[in-house]
Amino acid sequence: MGGSKLIFSGKLSKFLFVFAIFFAFLAPVSHGFAQQNIIAEQRPIIDSLKKQTADLSGQMAKASTSDEELADLRLQMEGVTKKLLGVGLAFRPRLTEINARLEQLGPAPAQGQPAEPAIVTDERNRLTGEKAQINAMIGETEDSSVTVNQMIERIGEMRRELFTRTLSQRVDINYSLGSQVVGAAGYETQKLGRRISSWWRFVLSFKLKPFLAAAFFALAAALVLHFGARRFLGDLFLRDPTVEAPSYLSRLSAAFWSTLIPSAAVGVFLGTTYFFLDYFNVLRTDIAKMLSSLFSVIVIVYFIHRLAKAVLCSDMPNWRLVHIAPKPARVLTYLITTTALINGLDYFLNTVNQVLASPLSLTVAKSLLATVLVGLLIIAIAWVKPLEQEETGAVRPWPKALRVFLICLGLFPIVAALLGYIGLARFASQQIVVNGAFLVTMYLGFLTARAITAEQAFGSTSVGRAMQQRFGMDETSLDQLGLVAGILTNFVVLLIGVPLILLQLGFQWSELQTWFLRLMTGFQVGNFSISFTSIFTGLLLFVIGYFITRWFQNWLDGSVMARGRVDSGVRNSIRTVVGYLGLALAALVGISAAGINLSNLALVAGGLSLGIGFGLQNVVSNFVSGLILLVERPIKVGDWVEAGGVAGIVKKISVRATEVETFQRQSIIVPNSSLINDNVANWTHRNKLGRADIPIGAAYGSDPRKVHALLLDIGRSHPQVLKNPEPFVAFKGFGDSSLDFELRVFLSDISSIVLVENELRFLIVEKFAEEGIEIPFPQRDINLRVEQIEAIADAIAARKSQPKVGTGSGKGKVTAGAAKAGIAGIKI
Amino acid sequence: MNRYAIAFLLVAIGAGPAFAASAVNNDSEPRTLVVTEGSTKSDLVLSPGETVDFCPAGCFVTFPNGDRQALTGSETIEITGGQATIN
């Protein structure tokens, strides 16, 4: 059973293989055919794009008063430019083919050269002709592209003009028209009602099923979002009322999620509703416009409401983010939501006015009312006394500067509106509300970043705990990671917040993209071109090079040299040299990748070289000495050396200095130059063999040959003394006080010299004592004259005649005789 | 931990910058490219051996021998004997 299956699959795969090869051969052939006709193919495309360009140009002239239409036209034009570029690109394979073939054919023969076959000339002419055609067509495309781009720039100018005009336009407000406006309002409301009801009837009679389907899907989406969010994400933002003092980070996180998730849910719900209604073609254009503006208003107002609630948290003061007392917090929340609501209503009603083509006076009156209300509400916010004293709970007003700022902010739209600059007032109030919300959110993001970088904070978050479990990291590295996370959060907040604000201000997404790309990839500042991406790449390459060097060092040391049983000193040298080389290489690669032009630095370096040269003299000398040490190795790690007046074991040879540890365990850092320039005594340079010399003096009167034999015995008797070279006793000379001998023994391990010398000296003392050989103190011959002898005798007699006073307490009695003899005092 | 860090670094490098087209002049005399970017035509002069990054967002180029090409910003161009080869 298995066997037959195998055979079957084998046959099948063979068949497929042949099939695939057949297709592979077929494809380039058909491709080639397509290539031949590329000119014919692209011609109509170019023509249609040109026509499109002309159309757009015409539309542009007509749409000079509508910002929306201009933005839409711009998007279309950007599409056209992309297509034009695509057309240019489509010619590339054919051009490459033609160029390759022309190269194969070679250049045309010069005047005096033999003629080439006609076929070749024909083909060359044909190909050159085709290439010229293609170049001409690309030229056309290029010109069209230039035209369209110029139109795009013109649109930008027009929009800016429109914007300034809107802001600076002054409407003459005639208050006597008040009653007229009220009447117009009533009329417009009726009109709106009629429109909606006509649409509704239309839907009921013709599009009931699609509408129900859309409503069903929308409801399903709503239910999914509501329960899904509650269930899966609920614990992210549910606040526990029992917790007394939640950490700042958890408060922030709760605030963030409790703002984002419900707003996103509402946004998604409304978006899907609109999408399904649109998909099922239930909407009429005017209804669609009004509905979309209504939905966006709802989302924004809801977002602001949730934001205010999250930050102020009037019902759960333990979880609030700023020190605002609960009662004022409730008032503030209400005020902020109302401001957003009025602004949103103004925006929505503006769309309605547009759709219904309402009279200008109504629009003006509505905007006037809305902006004045918004201004009043902002002033009301300034009047609230929200700040709470920590201890007493008493409430204080905002800090003076903030109050003044808020009052000015509130007065601005009011004054502008009352003076007639309705456009300006509307713009101001809209920007205050929306940008205010964005800025507050970004501020929360920055606070989060700051809280993450606080000590110990990262470790207590769920991400931090997960990383600790997974990677087993300790506190300090978690803290460092927290720092990195904080910086990343700041970046992300900026990256998301700034484009949103700019988009909202009216910039186009493609503009932002180009700016960002240009910022990242390089811009000129004077003579320098700074490019963040290349600097970042350079840094990254350097870090990678560093890690590779470390890894290579370890591998070389651990695998290659350990196996080869290379001497540890050699290993250390090779490891260090490889490290330096690798680091230098990584630095070079990094710097060249960062695009830093080293030739600019050369001038500066040339000027500084004099001072650097003098200052770094010693350091460079030490460095070079270090390299020579590594190569020549007069000393290696572990040697017992005496250099520069210090003796000890070499612990580490670095680039500038060598660390020598004395036997008192004191580390002496010896500059390398003194190891190279002066004499270095190395006990263990070639091997651990060394000679111990013990000078000993025997008193005059001892038998020198006996002493000699004795010392030789002692030397030979010690187990650690080598038999080859033999111990040797030298009769050094006739000293002032003694016969000087020296016992010289060779040891296999010179580091045990102190122990061996100790033991030998013990043996010498014992043996000399046994044999009765005296080791003399420094000797002096004293010549006494008769008078001095008599003085001594007198002193002794005097002492004998006196009772015993105590031992050793004899003071020097200067007897007459002693004085005559010139002796200061005799102690007996 | 280090493994992940290294892997991340490698990915970051690999995803790396092909942000602009680059042209290198392999001739021994300066060559001029006429670059149409957006709505402006400009001359880009390459001295012998020089490599220049240009055209991050698509452009049309006219080479010294009269050939025209459209670029998207991720190509490498070599100029030899006035002729250009695009990779």
Side-chain angles (χ1 to χ4, degrees):
Chain A
M1 183 61 182
S4 63
K5 236 190 178 160
L6 265 172
I7 296 175
F8 176 69
S9 63
K11 274 218 187 109
L12 186 63
S13 59
K14 274 206 202 106
F15 181 63
L16 284 173
F17 182 62
V18 171
F19 210 53
I21 298 218
F22 179 65
F23 261 127
F25 275 125
L26 206 57
V29 175
S30 54
H31 190 65
F33 276 134
Q35 285 307 314
Q36 297 280 9
N37 296 323
I38 195 83
I39 296 182
E41 224 180 73
Q42 297 292 333
R43 181 80 256 167
I45 299 182
I46 297 182
D47 288 335
S48 88
L49 284 174
K50 275 183 165 172
K51 184 163 171 308
Q52 234 182 319
T53 312
D55 280 343
L56 286 173
S57 165
Q59 284 180 29
M60 185 169 87
K62 276 191 271 181
S64 60
T65 51
S66 164
D67 191 63
E68 248 182 71
E69 280 182 41
L70 285 176
D72 190 51
L73 278 176
R74 189 211 155 96
L75 279 175
Q76 287 184 35
M77 286 181 196
E78 277 171 4
V80 168
T81 46
K82 281 207 181 59
K83 289 209 196 104
L84 284 170
L85 198 69
V87 165
L89 281 174
F91 285 116
R92 191 187 299 176
R94 183 67 187 141
L95 269 181
T96 328
E97 259 181 46
I98 295 181
N99 280 332
R101 188 83 187 106
L102 278 174
E103 233 179 273
Q104 269 182 350
L105 292 176
Q111 281 289 18
Q113 301 274 15
E116 50 178 11
I119 296 186
V120 176
T121 324
D122 279 343
E123 187 170 356
R124 185 182 304 115
N125 290 339
R126 189 169 42 88
L127 287 176
T128 324
E130 193 178 340
K131 192 155 87 142
Q133 253 189 313
I134 294 183
N135 278 338
M137 287 176 84
I138 297 186
E140 276 183 54
T141 323
E142 194 176 323
D143 291 333
S144 291
S145 171
V146 167
T147 320
V148 177
N149 279 316
Q150 281 172 346
M151 288 200 314
I152 291 180
E153 280 172 17
R154 180 86 192 101
I155 284 191
E157 277 172 33
M158 286 167 77
R159 287 182 75 201
R160 272 191 289 275
E161 278 170 26
L162 204 60
F163 183 63
T164 7
R165 226 181 325 141
T166 321
L167 285 193
S168 59
Q169 197 180 40
R170 187 159 184 270
V171 171
D172 219 353
I173 302 186
N174 197 344
Y175 289 101
S176 64
L177 294 173
S179 55
Q180 217 178 42
V181 164
V182 170
Y187 181 64
E188 292 299 313
T189 324
Q190 280 182 352
K191 238 167 100 173
L192 180 67
R194 277 203 298 269
R195 288 255 189 143
I196 296 183
S197 57
S198 80
W199 170 74
W200 186 239
R201 264 176 302 163
F202 172 73
V203 163
L204 280 180
S205 18
F206 297 109
K207 295 226 178 209
L208 188 58
K209 279 225 191 66
F211 178 74
L212 286 178
F216 168 71
F217 279 121
L219 208 62
L223 286 173
V224 161
L225 278 173
H226 182 79
F227 287 114
R230 270 294 124 132
R231 188 132 175 267
F232 295 116
L233 304 169
D235 40 324
L236 269 181
F237 66 87
L238 280 179
R239 295 186 176 94
D240 191 356
T242 57
V243 176
E244 266 293 323
S247 75
Y248 201 64
L249 209 57
S250 44
R251 275 184 281 158
L252 266 178
S253 136
F256 178 71
W257 292 119
S258 78
T259 312
L260 193 68
I261 294 181
S263 315
V266 165
V268 166
F269 167 61
L270 291 176
T272 38
T273 314
Y274 186 78
F275 170 73
F276 281 123
L277 286 173
D278 199 34
Y279 181 72
F280 286 112
N281 273 324
V282 178
L283 296 172
R284 212 166 54 187
T285 32
D286 51 350
I287 301 287
K289 244 174 141 178
M290 291 195 283
L291 205 62
S292 69
S293 94
L294 180 68
F295 282 173
S296 25
V297 162
I298 290 179
V299 171
I300 294 187
V301 172
Y302 187 62
F303 171 69
I304 294 181
H305 171 69
R306 289 232 58 104
L307 188 65
K309 274 194 75 169
V311 170
L312 298 172
C313 217
S314 49
D315 41 346
M316 270 195 276
N318 288 337
W319 286 87
R320 66 193 166 176
L321 289 176
V322 285
H323 282 302
I324 295 190
K327 274 225 286 272
R330 208 169 305 149
V331 173
L332 271 178
T333 319
Y334 173 69
L335 284 174
I336 292 176
T337 315
T338 321
T339 316
L341 193 64
I342 292 189
N343 219 355
L345 267 178
D346 178 40
Y347 178 77
F348 169 63
L349 286 175
N350 218 45
T351 324
V352 169
N353 285 338
Q354 235 181 358
V355 166
L356 296 178
S358 320
L360 184 64
S361 55
L362 184 62
T363 322
V364 165
K366 164 192 68 67
S367 299
L368 180 68
L369 192 62
T371 47
V372 166
L373 276 177
V374 166
L376 285 175
L377 282 171
I378 295 181
I379 296 183
I381 291 179
W383 277 110
V384 171
K385 285 198 175 66
L387 293 179
E388 193 181 44
Q389 216 95 329
E390 304 240 351
E391 308 86 24
T392 61
V395 280
R396 293 179 288 122
W398 299 102
K400 194 112 193 262
L402 190 60
R403 261 180 73 188
V404 170
F405 175 68
L406 279 175
I407 294 183
C408 290
L409 212 61
L411 278 177
F412 182 72
I414 298 181
V415 169
L418 290 176
L419 281 180
Y421 293 98
I422 299 288
L424 183 60
R426 279 195 69 230
F427 177 72
S429 69
Q430 215 170 26
Q431 292 305 316
I432 289 174
V433 169
V434 177
N435 280 341
F438 277 146
L439 286 173
V440 168
T441 321
M442 281 173 67
Y443 182 63
L444 282 184
F446 287 133
L447 283 181
T448 317
R450 189 149 36 114
I452 291 184
T453 55
E455 251 187 71
Q456 317 272 333
F458 189 63
S460 54
T461 60
S462 49
V463 179
R465 273 196 298 265
M467 295 198 84
Q468 199 172 28
Q469 267 183 336
R470 185 93 168 65
F471 299 116
M473 301 159 58
D474 58 335
E475 282 292 323
T476 33
S477 31
L478 269 180
D479 266 345
Q480 284 172 336
L481 260 189
L483 216 79
V484 172
I487 296 179
L488 277 178
T489 316
N490 273 333
F491 260 142
V492 166
V493 166
L494 269 179
L495 222 61
I496 297 183
V498 171
L500 276 180
I501 293 185
L502 289 177
L503 277 177
Q504 199 270 132
L505 279 174
F507 290 99
Q508 290 287 78
W509 182 238
S510 58
E511 276 177 331
L512 294 179
Q513 262 184 330
T514 352
W515 286 351
F516 183 68
L517 219 58
R518 205 174 301 156
L519 183 73
M520 282 291 114
T521 58
F523 53 94
Q524 298 277 97
V525 175
N527 223 2
F528 287 102
S529 82
I530 304 175
S531 161
F532 287 121
T533 40
S534 44
I535 291 180
F536 183 63
T537 320
L539 261 173
L540 220 55
L541 282 176
F542 176 70
V543 167
I544 288 185
Y546 173 71
F547 278 122
I548 290 182
T549 314
R550 277 255 297 264
W551 169 83
F552 184 65
Q553 267 182 314
N554 286 330
W555 174 76
L556 206 63
D557 202 33
S559 309
V560 175
M561 295 206 275
R563 293 233 188 102
R565 250 170 299 182
V566 181
D567 179 52
S568 77
V570 181
R571 274 167 73 168
N572 187 37
S573 310
I574 294 183
R575 196 195 156 94
T576 327
V577 170
V578 164
Y580 293 153
L581 279 177
L583 217 61
L585 212 65
L588 273 175
V589 170
I591 289 183
S592 71
I596 296 179
N597 200 354
L598 289 176
S599 59
N600 282 334
L601 291 176
L603 289 168
V604 181
L608 286 178
S609 61
L610 196 64
I612 292 177
F614 276 120
L616 285 182
Q617 227 175 38
N618 283 332
V619 176
V620 173
S621 152
N622 283 335
F623 178 69
V624 176
S625 310
L627 289 177
I628 296 178
L629 275 180
L630 284 174
V631 172
E632 184 197 324
R633 297 174 356 118
I635 60 175
K636 49 191 185 298
V637 172
D639 276 355
W640 173 5
V641 300
E642 288 169 25
V646 303
I649 309 281
V650 175
K651 281 290 176 212
K652 183 165 182 245
I653 304 178
S654 317
V655 60
R656 180 199 80 84
T658 300
E659 186 185 333
V660 171
E661 192 181 68
T662 63
F663 297 110
Q664 292 174 305
R665 297 282 185 271
Q666 179 191 53
S667 280
I668 302 186
I669 319 288
V670 182
N672 287 336
S673 51
S674 67
L675 293 173
I676 294 290
N677 293 332
D678 302 324
N679 298 339
V680 172
N682 191 347
W683 284 101
T684 51
H685 185 50
R686 285 181 208 280
N687 48 31
K688 283 185 177 256
L689 201 66
R691 193 182 79 177
D693 297 340
I694 301 180
I696 186 76
Y700 278 102
S702 350
D703 181 3
R705 291 200 195 268
K706 188 161 151 221
V707 172
H708 185 270
L710 199 57
L711 285 174
L712 212 51
D713 273 341
I714 292 172
R716 289 205 184 111
S717 71
H718 196 283
Q720 283 184 299
V721 166
L722 290 177
K723 300 233 185 323
N724 186 13
E726 269 199 328
F728 184 75
V729 178
F731 187 175
K732 292 211 75 171
F734 303 99
D736 288 341
S737 324
S738 58
L739 296 168
D740 293 335
F741 289 89
E742 193 174 69
L743 173 60
R744 301 175 180 162
V745 297
F746 283 91
L747 304 171
S748 58
D749 187 358
I750 194 64
S751 51
S752 59
I753 184 174
V754 187
L755 290 166
V756 172
E757 281 186 353
N758 272 3
E759 286 164 16
L760 287 175
R761 287 194 173 108
F762 286 139
L763 283 173
I764 290 175
V765 169
E766 287 159 11
K767 284 281 163 60
F768 274 26
E770 264 179 42
E771 302 288 330
I773 300 174
E774 188 194 338
I775 305 177
F777 284 105
Q779 307 281 312
R780 270 269 174 273
D781 283 337
I782 299 180
N783 296 321
L784 291 171
R785 286 193 223 108
V786 179
E787 301 91 42
Q788 288 159 335
I789 299 177
E790 283 177 357
I792 294 175
D794 283 344
I796 294 176
R799 192 166 178 267
K800 276 214 174 112
S801 62
Q802 276 185 346
K804 287 217 167 82
V805 194
T807 50
S809 62
K811 288 198 217 120
K813 286 178 93 155
V814 186
T815 55
K820 205 161 48 144
I823 304 170
I826 301 174
K827 202 152 86 167
I828 298 177
Chain B
M1 177 67 203
N2 276 330
R3 240 180 298 143
Y4 288 100
I6 292 182
F8 168 69
L9 284 177
L10 285 173
V11 166
I13 283 268
F19 282 134
S22 66
V24 57
N25 182 2
N26 288 332
D27 287 333
S28 51
E29 43 174 68
R31 297 283 180 202
T32 316
L33 301 175
V34 182
V35 177
T36 307
E37 212 171 336
S39 58
T40 47
K41 251 194 177 112
S42 57
D43 282 346
L44 189 64
V45 181
L46 288 162
S47 27
E50 191 186 347
T51 314
V52 156
D53 283 343
F54 65 109
C55 190
C59 59
F60 290 89
V61 177
T62 312
F63 293 113
N65 64 347
D67 282 348
R68 287 195 148 109
Q69 284 281 1
L71 300 178
T72 54
S74 51
E75 295 93 348
T76 333
I77 304 176
E78 290 179 19
I79 306 181
T80 334
Q83 287 244 2
T85 9
I86 303 187
N87 303 349

